[in-house]
Amino acid sequence: MARIGYPFPRPFQPDEPFFLQWHITDRCNFSCSHCYRESQKRDLSFPDLQAVFRSFLRLAATTSQRGARVQIAGGEPLLSPHLFNLIGEISRSGLPVRVLTNGSLINRSIAEALFRSGCKIVQISLDGLEATHDAIRQPGSFDRAIQAARHLRKAGIQVTLAMTLSAVNRHEIAEVAKLASREADRFSFSRLVPCGVGKSGTLDLL
């Protein structure tokens, strides 16, 4: 059964996992109506990414928190030429690594490559049932997200389906949770943050 993540801000708990959500590229193959990006910036080189990761390791070593991990996001992280090398480097350090994606680029070979590189959990965005999700993202993206989840689970990777809530899709949360119970290992949701493209008001806040 999928688990529902905690959706709203709450007081910091000392025993919560300490993690880096790392947006390694602004490049994306979608133009979602709730996106937090404003413009595309130059990607860092792999040596620069390595330097950022070493800085995070030093920071994590100064904390008393357990369960440190790295979550790689974008843009669409699968468009970064450094993704698999970066996952490998993080995995070799002993930290778990997750990838946050729209799922559109994941086929069987990509899923298997993610598993081999050391990624054991992937989060796929799913912003409603088919008509709603495709309207927010692009036609056909719902089917590709579900297929990506199936490829990943077959490759041995756990899948989280993640929903960005707004007035447009909040009535579908129960149905998406049911879908996640069949197609994923976890279900989470968060509220729309009005910044970047998302501040235009195309989607309304809850």
Side-chain angles (χ1 to χ4, degrees):
M1 177 64 68
R3 296 185 307 206
I4 296 180
Y6 199 97
F8 303 116
R10 57 176 173 172
F12 174 76
Q13 302 295 320
D15 60 346
E16 288 184 345
F18 179 67
F19 66 91
L20 169 67
Q21 183 155 318
W22 193 358
H23 300 255
I24 64 170
T25 182
D26 279 326
R27 287 186 282 175
C28 191
N29 57 333
F30 283 7
S31 297
C32 303
S33 53
H34 57 20
C35 185
Y36 48 72
R37 295 182 307 136
E38 291 186 345
S39 61
Q40 183 170 311
K41 300 177 177 63
R42 179 184 63 86
D43 287 356
L44 295 178
S45 66
F46 187 62
D48 286 339
L49 292 171
Q50 289 176 302
V52 172
F53 180 57
R54 288 193 295 269
S55 295
F56 173 71
L57 288 177
R58 290 193 294 270
L59 175 63
T62 67
T63 75
S64 60
Q65 294 174 292
R66 297 170 292 175
R69 68 175 185 268
V70 178
Q71 299 184 169
I72 300 178
E76 172 49 56
L78 281 162
L79 289 174
S80 169
H82 308 304
L83 176 63
F84 292 100
N85 287 335
L86 189 59
I87 292 173
E89 178 133 341
I90 295 167
S91 296
R92 287 189 293 272
S93 77
L95 291 183
V97 54
R98 302 180 183 183
V99 172
L100 282 56
T101 174
N102 61 38
S104 64
L105 302 176
I106 296 176
N107 53 27
R108 184 176 67 180
S109 62
I110 293 294
E112 291 171 349
L114 285 166
F115 182 82
R116 288 194 302 270
S117 66
C119 177
K120 299 301 185 289
I121 299 177
V122 169
Q123 176 180 299
I124 299 174
S125 299
L126 197 73
D127 291 322
L129 301 178
E130 183 172 3
T132 301
H133 177 86
D134 284 2
I136 292 172
R137 291 179 179 270
Q138 62 177 243
S141 57
F142 179 90
D143 285 341
R144 282 182 282 169
I146 297 301
Q147 287 299 319
R150 294 171 180 172
H151 286 309
L152 290 164
R153 297 180 87 191
K154 189 171 183 179
I157 295 176
Q158 294 186 19
V159 172
T160 300
L161 292 182
M163 186 175 182
T164 300
L165 285 180
S166 69
V168 171
N169 63 7
R170 62 185 180 186
H171 63 285
E172 295 182 350
I173 187 169
E175 290 302 314
V176 175
K178 289 179 184 178
L179 176 65
S181 72
R182 301 190 301 270
E183 302 287 358
D185 302 281
R186 299 176 183 82
F187 171 59
S188 68
F189 55 92
S190 59
R191 69 184 186 278
L192 172 68
V193 178
C195 64
V197 177
K199 70 183 177 184
S200 66
T202 304
L203 296 184
D204 293 328
L205 294 173
L206 291 173

